[in-house]
């Protein structure tokens, strides 16, 4: 079992650029979550999907953030345009039961 | 919204000591979970608890689901250097679509 796979592991980009983060959930898991982690705010749920359908995107901070899940094995989180305050570690997690979420290794995003 | 209060925020202990941390909430949860996050990695699920009063062990780790359903405890016995990291509690309410996470307990071990 390869676990949840995220790419890239690190991303450095200039303010105003578009950033796309990618996630491959564990095969057979029907729920997918995108989290953001910062020192100040801890782990924040941005959006989650169930059976590829976005269920709750109330955590998405602004319209600059969007997420898609075109199929059961792939999801993207896009930030356009990026801003320095978007710098954080972004985690993707998947689960069969909501309570037992398995996290990827994260993408550390730095916007300069 | 729902919040979990996790304490302590940080711990500095000597190798070999036992560790205790807890998580409390103002509302009831049906499931409690404990995660550990190593530096530069994602949180890893350690223990999941599904019944009030349940006591579950995973090696040197023991966790309990509080009888009131509003709290949970994690104990680590005979700490070793690889126990260093941030420990998160998380709660799930039946029918809810997401987990609620505590702020984390950062564990540092002096050799």
């Amino acid at each position: 079992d390869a676990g949840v796979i995220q790419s890239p592991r690190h991303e450095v980009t200039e303010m105003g650029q578009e950033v796309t983060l990618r996630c491959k959930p564990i095969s057979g898991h029907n729920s997918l979550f995108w989290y953001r982690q910062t020192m100040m705010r801890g782990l924040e749920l941005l959006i989650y999907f169930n059976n590829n359908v976005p269920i709750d995107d109330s955590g998405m901070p602004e319209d600059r953030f969007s997420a898609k899940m075109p199929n059961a094995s792939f999801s993207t989180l896009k930030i356009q345009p990026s801003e320095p305050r978007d710098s954080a570690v972004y985690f993707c997690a998947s689960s069969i039961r909501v309570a037992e979420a398995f996290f990827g290794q994260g993408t550390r995003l730095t916007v300069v | 919204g729902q919040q979990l209060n996790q304490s302590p925020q940080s711990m500095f202990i000597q190798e070999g000591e036992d560790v205790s941390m807890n998580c409390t909430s103002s509302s009831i949860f049906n499931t409690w979970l404990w995660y550990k996050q190593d530096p530069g990695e994602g949180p890893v699920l350690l223990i999941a608890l599904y019944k009030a009063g349940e006591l579950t062990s995973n090696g040197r780790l023991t966790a309990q689901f509080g009888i009131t359903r509003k709290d949970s405890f994690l104990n680590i016995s005979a700490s070793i250097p690889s126990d260093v990291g941030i420990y998160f509690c998380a709660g799930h309410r039946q029918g809810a679509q997401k987990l609620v996470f505590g702020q984390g307990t950062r564990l540092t071990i002096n050799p």
Side-chain angles (χ1 to χ4, degrees):
Chain A
D1 187 350
V4 176
I5 299 173
Q6 290 187 246
S7 65
R9 289 295 309 274
H10 303 273
E11 176 81 31
V12 180
T13 190
E14 291 185 345
M15 182 174 62
Q17 296 297 308
E18 177 180 296
V19 175
T20 299
L21 311 181
R22 296 173 175 79
C23 175
K24 176 179 170 55
I26 294 173
S27 177
H29 284 192
N30 58 0
S31 294
L32 183 140
F33 309 83
W34 282 101
Y35 286 87
R36 178 172 67 178
Q37 186 178 40
T38 61
M39 289 292 291
M40 292 296 295
R41 301 173 70 92
L43 272 168
E44 301 175 275
L45 179 65
L46 301 178
I47 185 171
Y48 87 93
F49 295 83
N50 186 254
N51 293 322
N52 312 340
V53 176
I55 302 299
D56 184 355
D57 65 355
S58 60
M60 296 285 262
E62 299 174 30
D63 291 344
R64 298 184 295 107
F65 286 69
S66 62
K68 294 182 180 180
M69 192 166 185
N71 56 62
S73 60
F74 184 66
S75 177
T76 60
L77 177 68
K78 184 178 294 186
I79 308 172
Q80 166 63 20
S82 57
E83 297 182 2
R85 60 193 169 122
D86 301 330
S87 298
V89 181
Y90 291 81
F91 288 105
C92 175
S94 70
S95 70
I96 293 177
R97 292 183 287 186
V98 172
E100 294 185 13
F102 292 83
F103 285 76
Q105 292 182 299
T107 295
R108 180 174 295 277
L109 174 65
T110 303
V111 183
V112 298
Chain B
Q2 302 172 25
Q3 288 190 347
L4 296 183
N5 296 312
Q6 189 171 346
S7 66
Q9 289 188 349
S10 60
M11 300 183 72
F12 299 85
I13 64 169
Q14 298 292 325
E15 183 177 350
E17 290 185 9
D18 296 342
V19 173
S20 292
M21 61 190 78
N22 69 80
C23 212
T24 60
S25 171
S26 58
S27 57
I28 290 173
F29 287 96
N30 299 98
T31 303
W32 283 93
L33 306 105
W34 286 92
Y35 285 84
K36 183 196 176 194
Q37 185 175 20
D38 290 326
E41 302 292 332
V44 174
L45 181 61
L46 298 174
I47 294 178
L49 302 156
Y50 298 99
K51 295 182 181 179
E54 179 181 355
L55 187 69
T56 297
S57 294
N58 178 3
R60 294 178 295 105
L61 276 62
T62 301
Q64 184 163 22
F65 191 142
I67 196 71
T68 66
R69 297 189 177 184
K70 294 183 178 180
D71 56 10
S72 181
F73 303 85
L74 176 69
N75 296 318
I76 306 173
S77 63
S79 58
I80 60 177
S82 62
D83 292 332
V84 165
I86 303 176
Y87 292 80
F88 291 97
C89 62
H92 179 250
R93 213 172 52 172
Q94 190 170 5
Q97 299 295 330
K98 54 190 178 183
L99 294 175
V100 178
F101 280 88
Q103 308 96 315
T105 295
R106 183 181 296 273
L107 178 63
T108 302
I109 299 175
N110 299 316

